[in-house]
Amino acid sequence: MFAELERRIDQKLKAGIDVITLAIGDPDHGTYGHIVEAMQGAVADPAFQRYPNNRGRDDFCAAVSAFYRGRFGVDVDPDTEAMPALGAKECIYHLSFAFLDPGDLALAADPGYPVYTSGPALAGSEAVLMPLAPELGFVPDLDAIPSETLERARLAFINYPNNPTGAVAPDGFFDRVVELAREHQILVVHDNSYSETTYDGYVAPSFLATPGAKDVAVEVLSLSKGFNMTGWRCAAIVGNADALRAYWRLKTNVDSGMFQAVQLAAVAALSGPRDPIDEMNRIYARRRDLVVTALREIGVAVEPPLATIYIWAPVPAGHTSASFAELVLEEAAVVISPGSMYGPSGEGFFRISLTTPDERLTEAVERMRAHLA
Ligand SMILES: Cc1ncc(COP(=O)(O)O)c(C=O)c1O
């Protein structure tokens, strides 16, 4: 399906058609100035050009710990409960290798970020999909997971604010996850890649703020989206000290840690001003409203999300995810992501990313209005 979509995009581009892509979640604004300046200062210093170590610099771990206290109200021991990861993707992938043996299972949100399933598969294990139920606010129905599955599960990947649905965790959901994990000895991996991208006064919590969470969970805090740092490959793994030790042991065999200049840039990011984040969120909120208004005008029932850089909406009646994405491409030369790309439960939905510059996004929305009304 995606190969076919790509072939058609390619065809259009070759025919000189101006195709606008709303499919990729990669901030279009640059990394905030104070972070770049910290990097520029550090990169020229020979001391920071040598091998780092996987455990991370003390100041990096201290900055993560201070961020967790100030932003989430969570106490994190910088020596045992925080360390760098080369992006959330790397971290999630390697956690599968650290914790899964053949025969084990990982529970993976469906729809979800693809590495929740590819990680376990490549580690020689298997992911069991947990459908995110729209009627429950796009969380899995935990009571519906068969007990044999829970007995074999070692990991559970969850993610709120959520990609691709834009959902935020409903009250009490994290508590239920902690309970389940404790009962079945499952390590919860909470992917917190969108905690800083929120709207309308919503403040996203850390999973680790849930009572008992540190006994059963790690959280991956990515700097990619909230700090416009997707290219930097910069994240932290935070939480259960035993789990971090296992990840660390694996990582010493895989890579040699995060470039120290990037760690110092992360310190600047985590301890720096929040104004640039707020400004970015104002830009995304404006774009969100633009897209939601246009979609409603063409008959798509959609609610504005409280977080993330995505609009997740049901396809119009009579369409599949793929057929609607194809229609939008054919009629409006706009690329949207078919929901089924993120797992079988994404069928019947599509995703639009808000990381396209205002002018292009407005043009895309106008085209959709003109051609699909
Ligand atoms: C839910 C989720 N997790 C992780 C990532 C990747 O994060 P990183 O850039 O830190 O690897 C993304 C990127 O789109 C994502 O949507």
Side-chain angles (χ1 to χ4, degrees):
M1 181 172 91
F2 308 113
E4 174 58 16
L5 205 59
E6 267 175 21
R7 196 184 61 76
R8 289 192 192 195
I9 295 167
D10 212 41
Q11 243 175 14
K12 289 204 174 317
L13 291 171
K14 282 195 180 121
I17 296 169
D18 174 30
V19 176
I20 304 177
T21 294
L22 306 181
I24 298 163
D26 191 353
D28 55 309
H29 285 241
T31 304
Y32 310 138
H34 63 284
I35 304 171
V36 175
E37 279 165 27
M39 178 73 178
Q40 284 169 330
V43 76
D45 187 333
F48 303 139
Q49 295 164 357
R50 309 189 65 186
Y51 278 122
N53 70 52
N54 290 88
R55 195 61 196 75
R57 292 175 54 88
D58 287 349
D59 46 10
F60 175 92
C61 296
V64 171
S65 173
F67 185 80
Y68 264 73
R69 170 105 298 279
R71 168 65 182 82
F72 298 123
V74 173
D75 286 324
V76 168
D77 180 345
D79 295 330
T80 58
E81 296 178 337
M83 64 176 276
L86 305 178
K89 188 176 192 177
E90 175 274 301
C91 186
I92 291 162
Y93 177 78
H94 283 126
L95 285 168
S96 287
F97 284 79
F99 287 97
L100 299 175
D101 287 321
D104 293 341
L105 298 176
L107 304 173
D110 162 35
Y113 187 57
V115 80
Y116 305 154
T117 50
S118 62
L122 287 162
S125 177
E126 201 187 323
V128 174
L129 299 177
M130 296 185 290
L132 303 187
E135 66 280 9
L136 299 179
F138 291 106
V139 296
D141 179 357
L142 299 176
D143 297 327
I145 305 172
S147 54
E148 324 71 270
T149 301
L150 290 171
E151 288 320 311
R152 283 174 58 200
R154 295 283 167 271
L155 292 179
F157 296 114
I158 58 167
N159 156 232
Y160 295 93
N162 183 261
N163 175 22
T165 69
V168 300
D171 285 347
F173 174 68
F174 284 170
D175 297 273
R176 279 282 297 115
V177 174
V178 168
E179 236 172 74
L180 193 82
R182 196 190 289 285
E183 196 180 326
H184 298 279
Q185 305 207 334
I186 297 169
L187 177 71
V188 178
V189 179
H190 182 243
D191 177 350
N192 206 359
S193 288
Y194 294 94
S195 60
E196 305 315 297
T197 307
T198 58
Y199 316 114
D200 305 342
Y202 177 74
V203 179
S206 163
F207 185 84
L208 300 177
T210 316
K214 262 205 269 172
D215 297 337
V216 295
V218 293
E219 179 159 271
V220 190
L221 181 82
S222 171
L223 275 67
S224 284
K225 312 294 166 126
F227 298 89
N228 292 355
M229 291 176 73
T230 48
W232 298 59
R233 313 316 303 130
C234 185
I237 176 171
V238 187
N240 185 276
D242 291 335
L244 257 76
R245 236 189 328 271
Y247 170 72
W248 178 23
R249 199 179 312 134
L250 177 82
K251 286 273 286 178
T252 55
N253 293 286
V254 176
D255 60 60
S256 298
M258 184 188 286
F259 183 21
Q260 294 186 64
V262 173
Q263 293 188 57
L264 289 165
V267 171
L270 294 170
S271 56
R274 285 198 69 87
D275 316 6
I277 301 175
D278 296 340
E279 175 54 22
M280 211 55 232
N281 288 346
R282 276 194 288 275
I283 291 169
Y284 290 140
R286 198 174 62 228
R287 293 176 183 173
R288 173 197 69 167
D289 295 342
L290 180 82
V291 172
V292 165
T293 305
L295 288 176
R296 285 177 172 169
E297 278 173 29
I298 62 170
V300 173
V302 59
E303 287 303 316
L306 282 177
T308 78
I309 46 182
Y310 308 111
I311 305 287
W312 181 253
V315 297
H319 276 286
T320 62
S321 292
S323 74
F324 187 61
E326 278 168 25
L327 179 77
V328 176
L329 180 62
E330 287 310 319
E331 298 294 324
V334 170
V335 183
I336 59 172
S337 309
S340 48
M341 202 169 143
Y342 305 95
S345 299
E347 179 51 53
F349 291 87
F350 66 95
R351 194 193 80 171
I352 284 179
S353 164
L354 301 172
T355 56
T356 300
D358 287 14
E359 210 181 285
R360 297 289 283 165
L361 188 69
T362 307
E363 162 76 18
V365 158
E366 287 309 323
R367 284 190 204 171
M368 287 171 73
R369 252 199 204 105
H371 297 281
L372 300 164

